[in-house]
Amino acid sequence: MTPCVLALGGHDFTSQPPDRALGELLLRLATERAAGRPRISLLTVDDPEMAARVGRFHSAFEARPCDSSAISLPELAGRRQELRDRLLAQDLIYVSGADLHGLLGTWDATRLGEILTLAWRRGIVLAGESAGAMCWFDAGITSSSGHAEPGAGLGLLGGSLCVHYSSEPDRREAYLQAVADGMPDGYGIDDHAGLIWDGGPSPFAVTARRGARAYRVAARETGVAESPLPARFLPAPAPSVMREDIAEFRRIRSIRRRAGWPS
């Protein structure tokens, strides 16, 4: 099975139409690779906001035809075989946005990069947004230190990537300068836009929000050129009434328990 990577400029697991559309894309990519019911996992890092992200992730997929799970790297860092077995049992692994330097540093310490490289070679879809998208490339633009600067990635995909391309002008400016200074050519991706590598030499672009785009960025004799890529628009699926009913039921039950009422 051919390796597949989905890089997203920015995304969350909310009920907003662009996020629902990208969630549907994740499910489709996992289903295409699955032998049975698709398995989708969120690979989490030590982040104070991660618990809320995990909750939104489960809400996004609990009413869909798949098995979703969150795999905590901090919890399994010392159990490498278990971490390996769980990751290689997935059809799609999603890496959430984080600190690119910290992310790759943690992967080096736990040898997670070796496991993810094996997953990629086996055809398990690797996906992610922000740092979780840049990590697959040779290089990206990180704001880990408080300002935008180049950072190294895992190198599964050649070239470079800059995320949040239009929403963070400082990051885009730093990327253009880095490419002019010798960083490998690559791509810029807006929030709610993405690029898919699926066996071909070049990616194809998708967008879940009107106006969100992906760009080819390359050094030329006359300067650095930005070329918008043609993109397929992803319409948002209708909200799941079942999922919304479940969420409302849980909210009411939580209120009743806090009030000491019978649930």
Side-chain angles (χ1 to χ4, degrees), residues 88-228:
L88 295 182
Q90 306 304 312
D91 297 299
L92 184 147
I93 300 168
Y94 187 100
V95 178
S96 186
D99 168 347
L100 182 61
H101 287 317
L103 189 70
L104 270 295
T106 302
W107 289 8
D108 286 343
T110 59
R111 300 175 65 185
L112 179 62
E114 297 176 15
I115 300 174
L116 292 173
T117 299
L118 178 58
W120 176 69
R121 289 173 177 163
R122 289 188 177 184
I124 297 169
V125 180
L126 301 181
E129 60 92 21
S130 193
M134 294 188 294
C135 63
W136 312 120
F137 291 78
D138 288 329
I141 296 295
T142 177
S143 57
S144 304
S145 64
H147 63 275
E149 61 184 3
L154 189 60
L156 296 183
L157 298 176
S160 59
L161 179 68
C162 182
V163 295
H164 312 307
Y165 202 63
S166 297
S167 60
E168 296 185 12
D170 290 348
R171 190 188 293 262
R172 172 179 168 270
E173 182 179 347
Y175 184 49
L176 296 177
Q177 186 60 56
V179 172
D181 292 341
M183 176 183 277
D185 296 346
Y187 302 89
I189 316 179
D190 289 340
D191 295 343
H192 295 115
L195 293 168
I196 301 175
W197 279 259
D198 194 6
S202 301
F204 63 91
V206 294
T207 179
R209 178 172 54 84
R210 300 294 182 187
R213 310 188 78 165
Y215 301 82
R216 175 64 175 161
V217 180
R220 301 285 186 262
E221 290 185 0
T222 55
V224 178
E226 300 169 283
S227 306

Side-chain angles (χ1 to χ4, degrees), residues 18-156:
D19 287 329
R20 292 205 315 273
L22 290 174
E24 195 69 15
L25 173 62
L26 292 168
L27 177 60
R28 179 173 65 80
L29 291 174
T31 301
E32 290 173 353
R33 302 292 171 125
R37 186 176 171 88
R39 293 157 295 183
I40 298 175
S41 183
L42 175 67
L43 180 60
T44 70
V45 294
D46 191 7
D47 186 317
E49 298 181 4
M50 193 54 64
R53 171 66 68 92
V54 170
R56 293 192 297 271
F57 168 77
H58 285 307
S59 294
F61 289 107
E62 64 184 352
R64 298 190 183 197
C66 65
D67 293 327
S68 63
S69 64
I71 297 177
S72 171
L73 181 57
E75 290 181 9
L76 295 177
R79 303 195 295 257
R80 187 170 183 270
Q81 188 62 45
E82 182 180 351
L83 177 63
R84 181 184 187 278
D85 290 346
R86 289 186 60 182
L87 286 172
L88 295 182
Q90 306 304 312
D91 297 299
L92 184 147
I93 300 168
Y94 187 100
V95 178
S96 186
D99 168 347
L100 182 61
H101 287 317
L103 189 70
L104 270 295
T106 302
W107 289 8
D108 286 343
T110 59
R111 300 175 65 185
L112 179 62
E114 297 176 15
I115 300 174
L116 292 173
T117 299
L118 178 58
W120 176 69
R121 289 173 177 163
R122 289 188 177 184
I124 297 169
V125 180
L126 301 181
E129 60 92 21
S130 193
M134 294 188 294
C135 63
W136 312 120
F137 291 78
D138 288 329
I141 296 295
T142 177
S143 57
S144 304
S145 64
H147 63 275
E149 61 184 3
L154 189 60
L156 296 183

